[in-house]
Each structure stands twice: as C-alpha cells, then as structure tokens.
C-alpha cells in the first residue's frame, strides 16, 4: 500500500486542514455530529461505513481535536463523540459545502436536504466572502501572502 502524503507541516492552511479532515468520511462524520449524531452506531447507520474505517476516522478526529470522546450522556458504559470548539469552528465549512452542493449537484425541483434556521425555519442566506470593510470578494480580488516569524 502506498503511504499517505502528510501535510501537517505545510506552510499552507488549506493543506493542513485537508490533512486533518480532508477525506470524505471525516467530513461526513463532522456533518453528522452537527446533525446530532453522538454514538458510534448512529454514525455507522447514517453513513453505512465499515466499522474499521469509522473507528479509524473517529480516532483521527479525536486525536486532531475535532471531536472529543466523552462518557455517554445516559450514564451507560458507552462513549459518545461531541464536537470540540475546533470542531464547531468547521460549521461554516460544512455550510459552504452544503450550499455548493445544492447549487451544483441537484436539478431544479430534485429532492434534497436543506439546512434551515431553527428559530425561523428559513433556509440560510448563501455564504459570502467579505473583505475587512464588508465588500463582497471573489477569487480575483484576493492573493496569498506568506507570513514569516520575523
């Protein structure tokens, strides 16, 4: 088997992020955690993933600080997985992927899930990338600058 390339020492924040949560199972586990899944069996039923793959991804997400393994809320001997602050900070990423998917992978009128505001019941506004002064930005409006310690 070919060794997986690691990016945890890359200077690029995107590469380090992909290294931590970039495979599809990990992102879907995080999505399910936002949707309320907490137990191994809940993740497995939702995803239909093999137990060994789910175990490896959950361990990696815990080791990376995205999820925490905590005692079950019902006092049973089971463990539950909850989003850490680092994991909760992935919310805009999940929303962006969801909105991108809705826009690009569904035909008009095709059934799909939609994230809505719990209080109002309305779909979320599309995410926007804004400058520090509030202007809407597109890729042509940005550039990457390297940051050094000096």
């Amino acid at each position: 088997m070919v060794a997986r390339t690691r990016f945890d020492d890359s200077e690029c924040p995107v590469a380090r992020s992909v290294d931590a949560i970039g495979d599809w199972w990990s992102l879907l586990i995080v999505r399910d955690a936002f949707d309320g899944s907490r137990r191994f069996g809940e993740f497995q039923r939702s995803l239909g993933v093999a137990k060994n793959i789910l175990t490896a991804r959950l361990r990696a997400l815990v080791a990376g600080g995205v999820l925490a393994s905590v005692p079950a809320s019902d006092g049973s001997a089971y463990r539950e997985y909850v989003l850490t602050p680092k994991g909760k900070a992935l919310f805009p990423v999940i929303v962006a992927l969801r909105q991108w998917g809705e826009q690009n992978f569904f035909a008009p009128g095709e059934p799909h899930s939609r994230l809505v505001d719990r209080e109002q019941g309305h779909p979320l506004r599309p995410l926007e990338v804004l400058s520090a002064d509030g202007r809407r930005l597109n890729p042509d409006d940005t550039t990457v600058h390297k940051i050094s310690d000096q």
Side-chain angles (χ1 to χ4, degrees):
M1 177 176 258
V2 176
R4 181 175 168 266
T5 301
R6 302 278 315 172
F7 297 105
D8 50 356
D9 61 352
S10 173
E11 292 181 4
C12 176
V14 174
R16 287 192 185 193
S17 298
V18 168
D19 197 48
I21 50 99
D23 74 85
W24 63 83
W25 291 123
S26 295
L27 284 169
L28 293 174
I29 290 166
V30 170
R31 175 209 61 191
D32 281 4
F34 277 115
D35 291 347
S37 293
R38 294 174 63 97
R39 292 199 176 175
F40 186 95
E42 293 171 335
F43 290 111
Q44 190 183 33
R45 276 189 298 281
S46 172
L47 299 171
V49 61
K51 289 180 180 183
N52 63 323
I53 293 173
L54 180 56
T55 297
R57 295 314 185 280
L58 287 169
R59 281 185 184 148
L61 289 167
V62 169
V66 174
L67 294 175
S69 175
V70 300
S73 56
D74 63 4
S76 67
Y78 293 102
R79 302 292 293 174
E80 293 182 344
Y81 297 92
V82 296
L83 291 160
T84 63
K86 184 189 245 183
K88 289 178 181 179
L90 285 167
F91 184 66
V93 175
I94 297 298
V95 171
L97 284 170
R98 185 179 274 284
Q99 289 180 349
W100 181 71
E102 288 173 350
Q103 183 179 13
N104 291 286
F105 297 106
F106 289 89
E110 183 179 358
H112 63 281
S113 64
R114 171 164 287 147
L115 188 63
V116 298
D117 175 340
R118 186 183 307 265
E119 184 178 315
Q120 300 291 325
H122 300 296
L124 306 183
R125 287 181 24 188
L127 289 180
E128 298 177 327
V129 177
L130 303 176
S131 68
D133 64 8
R135 292 175 293 117
R136 185 179 309 153
L137 300 175
N138 65 50
D140 294 334
D141 298 322
T142 65
T143 187
V144 174
H145 286 225
K146 299 287 183 184
I147 300 173
S148 65
D149 287 338
Q150 301 156 359

